[in-house]
Amino acid sequence: MLLMLLQILVLVISATSAPQQPTFAGVMLGETVQQLVIERGDPLSTSNQGGVAEYVYFTPTGNSIEFVGVERGNVASVEVRPSPVGDQLTKGDDPSALGVHFGDTAKELLAIGKDRFISAGSAGDGTFRGDDGLEYTFGMTAAKVTTILARLPKDRLDVLPAYTSAPTLHGGASYADALVVKAANEDVGVRSEYAYIMMHPCAGGRWKTTHQTLDKHDGVFYDKLSAQCDAGKGNRDFYFNISDYFGKY
């Protein structure tokens, strides 16, 4: 009996002392892609190249775009770039790493310290080690930081279990197939809806939104955006499940 109690105590201590996976820009590095979609909803767009999948979201504040890299079914990296979609919603609240923000120069990178330096890039950028165990790479354009990439080191990524099953994503063609949008408030949520339509063009052109309707179906709130293809006579409706952020300002 005593031995059993000791074994249970060891298991509890091991579980509580297990290192927490690091988070950057609202994304937990090392979690499964299935958990990513549960937490963040349907992505704005997806792609897959060379075995690395990419899921695109707005950052939680809605003023930056994040590209989540997935390898072997696990979140391996998060690259954040300033949003090209309209004006920023939340000024001065972009993700930063090691004290470096968008628009900083090489001077700020040098201030990080040589003890964190891992490698240099070809454009004056560099990769540095964070206290959270992540590796941060700062991409530069015209001598200013324009991207921040947080990556799980290879030795930590390689020990994670591999998952072959992909998460279930929605196409927005009906209430049953409505795109699930997760956002902190309605501004970011609606911004995500229009960005999704912009990132999924129609044949030969782009969708132009003609009407937006708020619906309640089976107790769930939806936005229905009616759109017309600007390259022809095609029309369709996009359904978005907005229950996560409806009424949040």
Side-chain angles (χ1 to χ4, degrees):
M1 184 67 177
L2 179 59
L3 179 60
M4 183 179 296
L5 289 174
L6 288 174
Q7 290 174 334
I8 293 174
L9 180 60
V10 169
L11 290 174
V12 170
I13 293 174
S14 300
T16 56
S17 60
Q20 178 70 30
Q21 294 284 26
T23 299
F24 180 67
V27 175
M28 182 177 291
L29 280 292
E31 70 179 353
T32 65
V33 65
Q34 286 86 352
Q35 188 62 31
L36 170 73
V37 173
I38 290 173
E39 295 169 353
R40 302 300 300 275
D42 286 298
L44 300 177
S45 68
T46 62
S47 63
N48 197 312
Q49 185 174 3
V52 178
E54 188 174 74
Y55 290 65
V56 182
Y57 293 93
F58 276 121
T59 52
T61 55
N63 60 335
S64 303
I65 296 286
E66 56 189 9
F67 299 80
V68 182
V70 176
E71 300 180 27
R72 297 167 56 246
N74 298 296
V75 174
S77 63
V78 183
E79 182 174 349
V80 182
R81 308 173 193 172
S83 173
V85 186
D87 297 329
Q88 292 183 345
L89 292 179
T90 310
K91 301 292 185 181
D93 197 23
D94 289 296
S96 63
L98 302 176
V100 176
H101 300 76
F102 292 140
D104 285 348
T105 64
K107 179 180 179 181
E108 281 73 26
L109 294 184
L110 292 173
I112 293 176
K114 293 182 179 180
D115 58 319
R116 298 181 182 274
F117 180 76
I118 299 176
S119 62
S122 59
D125 51 9
T127 299
F128 300 82
R129 186 177 296 104
D131 289 331
D132 52 9
L134 295 179
E135 296 176 355
Y136 292 95
T137 300
F138 302 92
M140 305 189 75
T141 303
K144 291 187 177 181
V145 174
T146 52
T147 65
I148 301 175
L149 170 67
R151 182 169 181 81
L152 204 63
K154 187 176 185 303
D155 58 343
R156 292 183 62 177
L157 182 63
D158 287 346
V159 298
L160 295 175
Y163 299 93
T164 56
S165 59
T168 299
L169 302 180
H170 304 94
S174 64
Y175 290 116
D177 189 40
L179 292 145
V180 178
V181 182
K182 301 290 184 74
N185 54 59
E186 287 195 353
D187 283 343
V188 178
V190 172
R191 187 181 177 92
S192 297
E193 296 173 29
Y194 281 85
Y196 180 91
I197 293 176
M198 184 190 75
M199 293 182 180
H200 291 78
C202 56
R206 293 192 174 277
W207 294 108
K208 180 180 179 181
T209 304
T210 58
H211 189 68
Q212 180 174 345
T213 305
L214 173 64
D215 289 341
K216 189 175 183 181
H217 180 75
D218 289 341
V220 178
F221 286 100
Y222 297 86
D223 269 347
K224 182 173 72 173
L225 273 62
S226 301
Q228 183 177 44
C229 184
D230 62 8
K233 297 182 179 180
N235 295 277
R236 68 156 290 183
D237 293 329
F238 292 85
Y239 291 80
F240 297 89
N241 182 331
I242 63 172
S243 54
D244 182 70
Y245 60 84
F246 178 69
K248 296 180 182 178
Y249 299 99

